[in-house]
C-alpha cells in the first residue's frame, strides 16, 4: 500500500524558513516522480514543484510563485521527499501535500499546515 | 501558463441524479487531464487520468471524456458520499494547473 506522510509544518514569521518532509513507503521511491501541491485556506489547489525520478536524474520543476525560494529534494536512502522553503511570505500559508506523480497524481499524503504570520 | 476553467462553480443535485462537470483549457492539452475529488478536511483523491482512465479502485459510476480543450466528468447515480468538490488538472505543460473547483451539493 502506498503511504505518504508529511511532517514539518508549523508557524513561521514572514521572511523565515521551514523544511517539510514526506516519508514514502509501499513503492520503489526512486522510480517515481514526486510532487508538492498546496491549498491555501478555503481556496483551490496549486502545484508547487516536483522531483523527477532516477531515470530523469531527479530533475526539478517549480511554479513561478515559488521558484528561487523553494527547493524540492529527496533522500532515496530514507525514502523521503523534502521541500525547503525560504523567504516565506504570508501568501505561502497553506496545507502542503506530498503527491506521487504517477498517472497524473495518483496518491496523496494527508498534508501538513504551514502558517506564515507575524 | 495554461488556464483551466470549470463550469459550473457549484451544482445542486439529488441522490440518484446524473451530473456532468465541464473543464476547458486555454490551449490544447491533448488528453493530459485528470480529475480529483475532495471532501472537507481531507486530501484530494484521484479519480481519472488521461482524460478518461479510471484510477485503480474508483467505481465505474465516474467517467471522463474529451480531448484538446474541452473535457467532462460525469457522475451517475449520485450517492451521499459523492457530494464533494471536484477539480480538473492539466499535466501537459509546466506549470501544472488546476481548475477552480466545482462544489457538488445535495439539493
Amino acid at each position: 500500500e502506498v503511504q505518504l506522510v508529511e511532517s514539518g509544518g508549523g508557524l513561521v514569521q514572514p521572511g523565515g524558513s521551514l523544511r517539510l518532509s514526506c516519508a514514502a513507503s509501499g513503492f520503489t521511491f526512486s522510480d517515481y516522480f514526486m510532487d508538492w501541491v498546496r491549498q491555501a485556506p478555503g481556496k483551490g489547489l496549486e502545484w508547487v514543484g516536483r522531483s523527477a525520478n532516477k531515470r530523469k536524474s531527479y530533475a526539478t520543476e517549480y511554479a513561478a510563485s515559488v521558484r528561487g525560494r523553494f527547493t524540492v529534494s529527496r533522500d532515496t536512502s530514507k525514502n523521503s521527499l523534502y521541500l525547503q522553503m525560504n523567504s516565506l511570505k504570508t501568501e505561502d500559508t497553506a496545507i502542503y501535500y506530498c503527491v506521487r506523480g504517477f498517472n497524473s497524481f495518483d496518491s496523496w499524503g494527508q498534508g501538513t499546515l504551514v502558517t506564515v504570520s507575524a | 501558463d495554461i488556464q483551466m476553467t470549470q463550469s459550473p462553480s457549484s451544482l445542486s443535485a439529488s441522490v440518484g441524479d446524473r451530473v456532468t462537470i465541464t473543464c476547458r483549457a486555454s490551449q490544447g492539452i491533448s488528453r493530459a487531464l485528470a480529475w480529483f475529488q475532495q471532501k472537507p478536511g481531507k486530501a484530494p483523491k484521484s479519480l481519472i487520468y488521461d482524460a478518461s482512465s479510471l484510477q485503480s479502485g474508483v467505481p465505474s459510476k465516474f467517467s471522463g471524456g474529451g480531448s484538446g480543450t474541452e473535457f467532462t466528468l460525469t457522475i451517475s447515480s449520485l450517492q451521499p458520499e459523492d457530494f464533494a468538490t471536484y477539480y480538473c488538472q492539466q499535466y501537459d505543460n509546466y506549470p501544472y494547473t488546476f481548475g477552480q473547483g466545482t462544489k457538488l451539493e445535495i439539493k
Side-chain angles (χ1 to χ4, degrees), chain A residues 7-22:
Chain A
S7 60
L11 175 63
V12 61
Q13 292 187 336
S17 298
L18 207 58
R19 188 176 87 150
L20 306 183
S21 300
C22 170

Side-chain angles (χ1 to χ4, degrees), chain B:
Chain B
D1 297 2
I2 297 175
Q3 184 174 359
M4 306 301 292
T5 304
Q6 291 180 229
S7 60
S9 295
S10 63
L11 176 59
S12 293
S14 301
V15 172
D17 284 354
R18 172 187 171 105
V19 298
T20 296
I21 300 168
T22 298
C23 178
R24 290 185 173 86
S26 60
Q27 65 187 69
I29 58 170
S30 186
R31 294 176 62 82
L33 190 284
W35 289 97
F36 301 89
Q37 176 194 67
Q38 187 177 33
K39 297 180 180 179
K42 300 294 187 181
K45 174 186 176 182
S46 178
L47 299 175
I48 286 171
Y49 65 97
D50 291 348
S52 61
S53 297
L54 282 181
Q55 287 284 7
S56 175
V58 174
S60 58
K61 64 187 302 181
F62 294 94
S63 61
S67 66
T69 61
E70 188 156 335
F71 301 86
T72 58
L73 171 69
T74 298
I75 312 169
S76 62
S77 188
L78 281 171
Q79 297 302 305
E81 62 268 23
D82 299 327
F83 292 92
T85 298
Y86 293 85
Y87 295 93
C88 64
Q89 178 235 352
Q90 68 81 19
Y91 49 98
D92 186 62
N93 281 323
Y94 295 117
Y96 294 165
T97 46
F98 291 86
Q100 81 279 14
T102 295
K103 187 172 184 179
L104 177 56
E105 299 175 303
I106 299 178
K107 186 181 291 183

Side-chain angles (χ1 to χ4, degrees), chain A:
Chain A
E1 178 195 4
V2 174
Q3 284 202 322
L4 301 169
V5 180
E6 302 94 337
S7 60
L11 175 63
V12 61
Q13 292 187 336
S17 298
L18 207 58
R19 188 176 87 150
L20 306 183
S21 300
C22 170
S25 60
F27 63 101
T28 304
F29 185 60
S30 60
D31 286 350
Y32 289 84
F33 285 61
M34 296 295 299
D35 297 77
W36 289 96
V37 175
R38 68 184 180 183
Q39 186 170 37
K43 302 298 184 182
L45 301 168
E46 180 187 16
W47 175 77
V48 173
R50 97 174 335 188
S51 166
N53 59 11
K54 181 178 180 180
R55 191 169 72 86
K56 296 289 187 180
S57 304
Y58 304 122
T60 54
E61 295 281 350
Y62 298 95
S65 58
V66 306
R67 192 176 296 122
R69 300 188 299 122
F70 289 13
T71 302
V72 179
S73 63
R74 63 169 89 195
D75 184 337
T76 53
S77 68
K78 295 181 179 180
N79 280 356
S80 291
L81 182 74
Y82 303 102
L83 181 65
Q84 177 67 44
M85 303 185 294
N86 299 330
S87 303
L88 282 160
K89 305 175 182 180
T90 55
E91 54 263 40
D92 295 319
T93 293
I95 296 172
Y96 285 74
Y97 294 103
C98 170
V99 188
R100 191 173 76 163
F102 177 71
N103 288 343
S104 170
F105 296 159
D106 72 329
S107 300
W108 296 62
Q110 85 288 350
T112 188
L113 176 62
V114 172
T115 303
V116 184
S117 174

